[in-house]
Amino acid sequence: MVKIVHRYLVVQVTCSSSQPRKIRKQTLEEALRGSIAENFGDHGLGVATSSRPIVYYNSATGVVVVKCLRSQYREVWLSLTLITHIEFEPVRIQMLRTTGVLKNCRSAVRHHQKMALEYLSPAEREEELERMKVDAFLRQN
């Protein structure tokens, strides 16, 4: 019996334009699939992505968790790095952490979100803190 091992990539998506807008999770998934297909073809797309590659996405802080097979995480990482535009909006995608365990992934997400909250306005910060308290992904251990 073969055990399927996954990697979790914690990345941050930042809009580079003067009028940044929030990107939807579905749009980000489409951009990831398109980048993998463009760089590694249909076979790479089939092997690298699962049915839902994005496990978690916070539009306020731009923190994203991408799940992929351990054997393919470098291809997914490269494809994420090569995304420069999403819906004609210039974006910058930065890898924050790579983990093999979901618990460590949650810890990294919490850490990076707290760092990103410093740059939000006080009203947005309070709203995001309340959202983090009820977020099922962050509450699990």
Side-chain angles (χ1 to χ4, degrees), residues 57-121:
Y57 175 57
N58 186 325
S59 60
T61 58
V63 176
V64 181
V65 175
V66 180
K67 179 181 177 181
C68 61
L69 294 174
R70 182 175 67 182
S71 60
Q72 301 294 318
Y73 87 93
R74 287 186 179 99
E75 286 85 355
V76 175
W77 184 347
L78 175 68
S79 296
L80 280 167
T81 306
L82 292 175
I83 295 173
T84 58
H85 289 79
I86 297 177
E87 288 187 340
F88 306 108
E89 185 83 23
V91 295
R92 183 175 147 252
I93 299 180
Q94 178 183 9
M95 178 66 66
L96 300 175
R97 179 90 189 262
T98 304
T99 66
V101 182
L102 196 55
K103 185 175 181 180
N104 293 343
C105 177
R106 286 188 187 102
S107 169
V109 168
R110 281 189 207 107
H111 172 74
H112 288 291
Q113 281 192 340
K114 287 179 183 174
M115 300 288 284
L117 288 177
E118 295 176 10
Y119 299 103
L120 297 177
S121 68

Side-chain angles (χ1 to χ4, degrees), residues 19-72:
Q19 291 289 339
R21 63 183 181 132
K22 296 184 179 180
I23 300 168
R24 294 180 314 134
K25 181 179 177 179
Q26 181 181 2
T27 307
L28 192 57
E29 282 183 353
E30 290 170 2
L32 174 60
R33 290 179 198 274
S35 180
I36 292 172
E38 181 180 336
N39 294 302
F40 299 102
D42 291 336
H43 176 71
L45 179 63
V47 173
T49 60
S50 60
S51 60
R52 286 284 178 208
I54 296 183
V55 177
Y56 175 77
Y57 175 57
N58 186 325
S59 60
T61 58
V63 176
V64 181
V65 175
V66 180
K67 179 181 177 181
C68 61
L69 294 174
R70 182 175 67 182
S71 60
Q72 301 294 318

